[in-house]
Amino acid sequence: MKPHWLLSVLLLLACDLHAANGSLTALTVTPTASGGQSYSLSIQVLLMMTALSLLPGALMMMTSFARIVIVLSILRQALGTAQTPSNQLLIGLALFLTFFIMAPVFERVYDQAIEPWMNEKISDEQAFEAAKQPLREFMLAQTRDADLELFARISGQRAINGPADVPFSLLMPAFATSELKTAFQIGFLLFIPFLIIDLVVSSVLMSMGMMMLSPMIISLPFKIMLFVLVDGWSLVMGMLASSFYI
């Protein structure tokens, strides 16, 4: 059992024990003066722990993270450097670049939803709806119409008249599909120069009769040299960042 789930269970059990003694009501939902609902502390803790458990999946599939980490993985494969950079380093690069790209979206979420909610100016439901809007706009800007139509047809949704009519349950898989497609397109373009170097080195070795020598051993220094000379990391990072705001 994960630690945060264990903590939530212990908190719920403690609330139940207090409720048995009559000192605390464990699970209550009471109406508010504004017409909404107020939840007891144990329910709020449980909802918060559930949200935290879903946060990594949301970070990967509702932000720029997926495209970036796939492109960096393909780049490493094209260079032929095996596990260099390591998976941890690639994930770290993708994570920090994701925060850089998503900073305007996160700022809008904080200004429109989190800060008013913390100041008790809006309810939980209003904060949730307000937080969805910046993410919806970002995801719609990166999602192809063909992918939206595909999932709309699969789910049997009625005709979508505009961005406001796209349900979040349909937008999320369409956005993920578009991101995978875009990532592989960028990876293909990155792969071509290194593939040409491999073909040239392989042809030269074949013409020299050195068939027992692996072309990868000879081509690797040339690919690394090319990548360093053109300042490859800056080009790749800049291209990935700009690809979200074209």
Side-chain angles (χ1 to χ4, degrees), residues 72 84-95:
L72 293 179
T84 305
S86 64
N87 291 331
Q88 292 84 353
L89 183 56
L90 288 185
I91 293 174
L93 287 173
L95 188 61

Short mmCIF file of all heavy atoms in Angstrom, two decimals, residues 72 84-95:
data_model
loop_
_atom_site.label_atom_id
_atom_site.label_comp_id
_atom_site.label_asym_id
_atom_site.label_seq_id
_atom_site.Cartn_x
_atom_site.Cartn_y
_atom_site.Cartn_z
N LEU A 72 13.33 13.11 -26.91
CA LEU A 72 14.66 12.92 -26.33
C LEU A 72 15.09 11.46 -26.36
O LEU A 72 16.27 11.16 -26.59
CB LEU A 72 14.68 13.45 -24.89
CG LEU A 72 14.51 14.96 -24.71
CD1 LEU A 72 14.53 15.33 -23.23
CD2 LEU A 72 15.59 15.72 -25.46
N THR A 84 23.27 6.66 -22.51
CA THR A 84 23.82 7.98 -22.24
C THR A 84 23.16 9.01 -23.15
O THR A 84 23.27 8.89 -24.38
CB THR A 84 25.34 8.01 -22.47
OG1 THR A 84 25.96 6.99 -21.69
CG2 THR A 84 25.92 9.34 -22.09
N PRO A 85 22.47 9.98 -22.60
CA PRO A 85 22.16 10.25 -21.19
C PRO A 85 21.24 9.17 -20.60
O PRO A 85 20.47 8.54 -21.33
CB PRO A 85 21.45 11.61 -21.23
CG PRO A 85 21.75 12.18 -22.57
CD PRO A 85 21.92 11.03 -23.48
N SER A 86 21.29 9.03 -19.31
CA SER A 86 20.50 8.00 -18.64
C SER A 86 19.02 8.38 -18.65
O SER A 86 18.64 9.51 -18.93
CB SER A 86 20.98 7.82 -17.20
OG SER A 86 20.77 9.01 -16.46
N ASN A 87 18.18 7.37 -18.32
CA ASN A 87 16.74 7.63 -18.29
C ASN A 87 16.39 8.70 -17.26
O ASN A 87 15.51 9.54 -17.50
CB ASN A 87 16.00 6.33 -17.95
CG ASN A 87 16.07 5.32 -19.08
OD1 ASN A 87 16.19 5.68 -20.25
ND2 ASN A 87 16.03 4.05 -18.73
N GLN A 88 17.05 8.67 -16.11
CA GLN A 88 16.78 9.67 -15.08
C GLN A 88 17.09 11.08 -15.57
O GLN A 88 16.35 12.02 -15.30
CB GLN A 88 17.58 9.37 -13.81
CG GLN A 88 17.16 8.11 -13.07
CD GLN A 88 17.81 6.85 -13.64
OE1 GLN A 88 18.47 6.90 -14.67
NE2 GLN A 88 17.62 5.75 -12.96
N LEU A 89 18.18 11.21 -16.31
CA LEU A 89 18.57 12.53 -16.82
C LEU A 89 17.59 13.00 -17.88
O LEU A 89 17.20 14.18 -17.90
CB LEU A 89 19.99 12.48 -17.38
CG LEU A 89 20.58 13.80 -17.87
CD1 LEU A 89 20.54 14.84 -16.76
CD2 LEU A 89 22.00 13.60 -18.37
N LEU A 90 17.16 12.10 -18.77
CA LEU A 90 16.19 12.48 -19.80
C LEU A 90 14.86 12.90 -19.17
O LEU A 90 14.25 13.89 -19.60
CB LEU A 90 15.96 11.32 -20.77
CG LEU A 90 17.09 10.98 -21.74
CD1 LEU A 90 16.65 9.90 -22.71
CD2 LEU A 90 17.54 12.22 -22.50
N ILE A 91 14.42 12.15 -18.17
CA ILE A 91 13.17 12.50 -17.50
C ILE A 91 13.30 13.84 -16.78
O ILE A 91 12.38 14.67 -16.79
CB ILE A 91 12.76 11.39 -16.52
CG1 ILE A 91 12.39 10.11 -17.30
CG2 ILE A 91 11.59 11.83 -15.64
CD1 ILE A 91 12.12 8.92 -16.42
N GLY A 92 14.46 14.08 -16.17
CA GLY A 92 14.68 15.37 -15.52
C GLY A 92 14.66 16.52 -16.50
O GLY A 92 14.05 17.57 -16.25
N LEU A 93 15.34 16.35 -17.65
CA LEU A 93 15.32 17.39 -18.68
C LEU A 93 13.90 17.63 -19.17
O LEU A 93 13.46 18.79 -19.34
CB LEU A 93 16.22 16.97 -19.85
CG LEU A 93 17.72 17.03 -19.63
CD1 LEU A 93 18.46 16.41 -20.82
CD2 LEU A 93 18.18 18.47 -19.43
N ALA A 94 13.16 16.55 -19.42
CA ALA A 94 11.78 16.68 -19.90
C ALA A 94 10.91 17.36 -18.87
O ALA A 94 10.03 18.17 -19.21
CB ALA A 94 11.23 15.30 -20.25
N LEU A 95 11.14 17.06 -17.60
CA LEU A 95 10.31 17.63 -16.54
C LEU A 95 10.54 19.14 -16.42
O LEU A 95 9.57 19.92 -16.36
CB LEU A 95 10.63 16.94 -15.21
CG LEU A 95 9.72 17.27 -14.03
CD1 LEU A 95 8.28 16.87 -14.31
CD2 LEU A 95 10.21 16.57 -12.77
#
